[in-house]
Amino acid sequence: MKKINEPSREIPITNETSVLVVGGGAAGLSAAIAARRMGCDVTLIEKYGFLGGTLTSVTLGSFCGIFTVTEDSIKPVVKGFQEEIIERLKMYNGVSEAKRWLKTASVPYDTTSFKRVADELVEEAGVQILYHTLAVSVIKEHNQVKGVIIENKNGRSAIMADVIIDASGDGDIISMAGGEYSVGDNGITQFPSSMFRMVNVNTEKLSSLSREEVTEYFQKAVNDGYPLPRVAGGIHLNPIDHVVHLNVTKVSNEGEVPINPLDTSQLTYAEMEGRKQVFLYERVLQKYVPGFEKARVIDIGPSIGIREARLIKGDYTLTSDDVLSCRKFEDAIACGAWPVEMHDSGNKTRWVWIEPGNFYTIPYQSLIPARLENVLMAGRNISATHEAQASVRVSAICMAMGQAAGIAAYLALSQENQVRHISVEKLQKLLLDNNAFLP
């Protein structure tokens, strides 16, 4: 590769803050608001022009991971900030009642309403937010990240911070700081999906179909020569009448090899291939699935849905045994009951369910990256194995981890910014005071 030498230059410090949150997705949004409500000076940077991450840039369609489910009941194991989001969305008719499907349940929401609610919440909390801003490097001294270099329309500058929360989804800050990580399972990550909404759907017809019946219609299309990469996927009614959200595509390289989510050329291919698949499914749905005869695509998520990239090595790595055995940690800071949901080879999603009515917990140690002193992580890039991450990555659990990280950052400020030195018991008490669910 040819190279050039870039001249050195002075970088202006445009912001000094107590807590810097990188990434405004489910985890970053909840972390920033939680820290600010504890009285911290908080800055949040986000690469898009809106908050929500996967919830809005991919248009996820429903909040997953809230409930543990039995034959007779659905009970929340994620409350706190997630519950507050749902209550605020109800003000704008932007959310529906919880819906059972397979062995779980989720809550459909409207993407545009979520953007509105997220803006309101950060404004009310007093979080300083910078949209259209990328983190491109870090300022590191020994084992502390003293600041982050950013780029946006104003150019290149630095934000100095006492505690940093990496909620980028890909673990970008920790990677730049030299943290240890792996990518998927020996480089093999879960397959991504482009998600979309369709309008003019006869939702009465659609509601009469089971998930299995929809799969049969898709399989018939495959038998007739349509190259659908998935025949089983999520189709959720939107809070807006006659609109549905679809999570049915699956993007791979030739030979059904997952793309590398850290390679820009492969991401570019995935975005274009994903949109091609969206319109393939549109044709198939119109032709084969009752209720979609007059339906058409109304929008596609601005970004493809990446399920997995870097898995950061932390003080403790959550395992699939921890998830499936419903392990309860003494330093628990969040709970989850979502199954291990694997989007791997084959045309169907692989589900490994946990015990009905039970749940596991996520330890605070899994939010602390190895060898870094003033950095926390929240969201799908926490310290977890490939299989465990397939459960903890869903939105509600990410919100719970974010809320914990935000309060932990507040506690670390009085401990010389050392995130390992905080009282976990005090963190747990503050989480409960803020309506979080803990065992």
Side-chain angles (χ1 to χ4, degrees), residues 202-412:
N202 185 327
T203 48
E204 186 175 344
K205 274 188 183 180
L206 176 61
S207 297
S208 69
L209 301 177
S210 68
R211 191 179 175 99
E212 291 75 18
E213 287 174 314
V214 174
T215 296
E216 289 173 5
Y217 286 121
F218 281 162
Q219 186 61 58
K220 185 177 187 308
V222 170
N223 296 342
D224 289 346
Y226 288 91
L228 300 182
R230 281 171 74 186
V231 297
I235 301 178
H236 301 287
L237 301 183
N238 191 270
I240 300 173
D241 291 343
H242 308 298
V243 174
V244 298
H245 179 274
L246 298 102
N247 173 3
V248 292
T249 69
K250 172 187 168 184
V251 177
S252 65
N253 285 316
E254 188 176 351
E256 206 173 356
V257 176
I259 70 157
N260 179 355
L262 303 176
D263 183 289
T264 302
S265 62
Q266 292 196 39
L267 276 175
T268 301
Y269 157 79
E271 296 282 9
M272 297 176 71
E273 172 62 23
R275 286 189 284 271
K276 290 177 185 176
Q277 290 186 16
V278 166
F279 293 107
L280 170 64
Y281 276 94
E282 180 186 55
R283 293 197 302 275
V284 166
L285 286 157
Q286 291 167 343
K287 183 175 180 180
Y288 289 89
V289 183
F292 285 89
E293 294 85 355
K294 297 181 179 180
R296 62 174 297 175
V297 172
I298 188 174
D299 60 17
I300 304 171
S303 175
I304 195 167
I306 299 298
R307 295 184 168 91
E308 181 184 21
R310 294 186 184 96
L311 302 175
I312 306 297
K313 180 180 179 181
D315 286 3
Y316 180 81
T317 300
L318 191 74
T319 69
S320 59
D321 286 343
D322 296 331
V323 169
L324 296 175
S325 68
C326 297
R327 183 174 177 181
K328 311 295 192 293
F329 292 90
E330 287 189 10
D331 63 337
I333 49 81
C335 302
W338 195 252
V340 175
E341 177 194 350
M342 298 297 295
H343 292 256
D344 47 21
S345 58
N347 61 9
K348 294 182 180 180
T349 306
R350 179 164 58 92
W351 303 88
V352 185
W353 303 92
I354 69 171
E355 179 186 357
N358 208 340
F359 59 90
Y360 62 90
T361 64
I362 299 166
Y364 177 58
Q365 297 173 84
S366 291
L367 271 58
I368 304 174
R371 298 203 307 272
L372 293 175
E373 297 173 351
N374 69 325
V375 180
L376 290 164
M377 48 190 171
R380 63 175 169 86
N381 54 218
I382 71 159
S383 184
T385 64
H386 173 67
E387 294 81 8
Q389 192 266 0
S391 173
V392 300
R393 63 177 171 79
V394 295
S395 59
I397 302 175
C398 287
M399 284 192 194
M401 290 188 285
Q403 187 171 14
I407 296 176
Y410 154 75
L411 293 173

Side-chain angles (χ1 to χ4, degrees), residues 6-26:
E6 183 179 10
S8 62
R9 51 178 165 167
E10 290 186 343
I11 304 296
I13 296 172
T14 53
N15 193 326
E16 296 183 69
T17 187
S18 298
V19 178
L20 173 62
V21 181
V22 179

Side-chain angles (χ1 to χ4, degrees), residues 56-262:
T56 48
S57 67
V58 181
T59 66
L60 195 58
S62 62
F63 297 121
C64 296
I66 301 175
F67 305 107
T68 182
V69 177
T70 67
E71 288 187 6
D72 302 320
S73 67
I74 58 173
K75 297 179 179 179
V77 295
V78 174
K79 294 184 177 181
F81 188 70
Q82 170 70 86
E83 200 168 58
E84 183 179 349
I85 286 279
I86 290 174
E87 289 305 309
R88 182 67 69 99
L89 283 166
K90 288 179 181 178
M91 294 169 54
Y92 305 119
N93 298 316
V95 68
S96 303
E97 295 300 316
K99 179 178 175 58
R100 281 178 174 268
W101 52 280
L102 295 179
K103 299 178 184 179
T104 187
S106 58
V107 177
Y109 69 95
D110 173 60
T111 300
T112 303
S113 299
F114 187 96
K115 292 178 183 178
R116 177 183 186 178
V117 165
D119 279 345
E120 290 177 353
L121 288 170
V122 293
E123 279 192 311
E124 291 167 10
V127 174
Q128 180 177 356
I129 182 165
L130 293 173
Y131 283 133
H132 301 292
T133 298
L134 288 173
V136 297
S137 187
V138 299
I139 303 159
K140 185 181 175 187
E141 292 182 11
H142 305 294
N143 289 330
Q144 291 208 13
V145 178
K146 295 292 188 178
V148 172
I149 295 177
I150 63 171
E151 288 191 353
N152 53 29
K153 292 295 185 181
N154 297 88
R156 190 176 179 95
S157 63
I159 299 176
M160 308 304 290
D162 298 317
V163 178
I164 295 172
I165 299 174
D166 187 341
S168 64
D170 293 337
D172 290 335
I173 298 302
I174 296 163
S175 171
M176 293 173 191
E180 295 183 54
Y181 64 88
S182 60
V183 179
D185 182 14
N186 293 317
I188 302 299
T189 61
Q190 293 196 58
F191 292 88
S193 295
S194 292
M195 303 184 194
F196 59 104
R197 292 191 304 170
M198 296 185 74
V199 71
N200 294 335
V201 180
N202 185 327
T203 48
E204 186 175 344
K205 274 188 183 180
L206 176 61
S207 297
S208 69
L209 301 177
S210 68
R211 191 179 175 99
E212 291 75 18
E213 287 174 314
V214 174
T215 296
E216 289 173 5
Y217 286 121
F218 281 162
Q219 186 61 58
K220 185 177 187 308
V222 170
N223 296 342
D224 289 346
Y226 288 91
L228 300 182
R230 281 171 74 186
V231 297
I235 301 178
H236 301 287
L237 301 183
N238 191 270
I240 300 173
D241 291 343
H242 308 298
V243 174
V244 298
H245 179 274
L246 298 102
N247 173 3
V248 292
T249 69
K250 172 187 168 184
V251 177
S252 65
N253 285 316
E254 188 176 351
E256 206 173 356
V257 176
I259 70 157
N260 179 355
L262 303 176

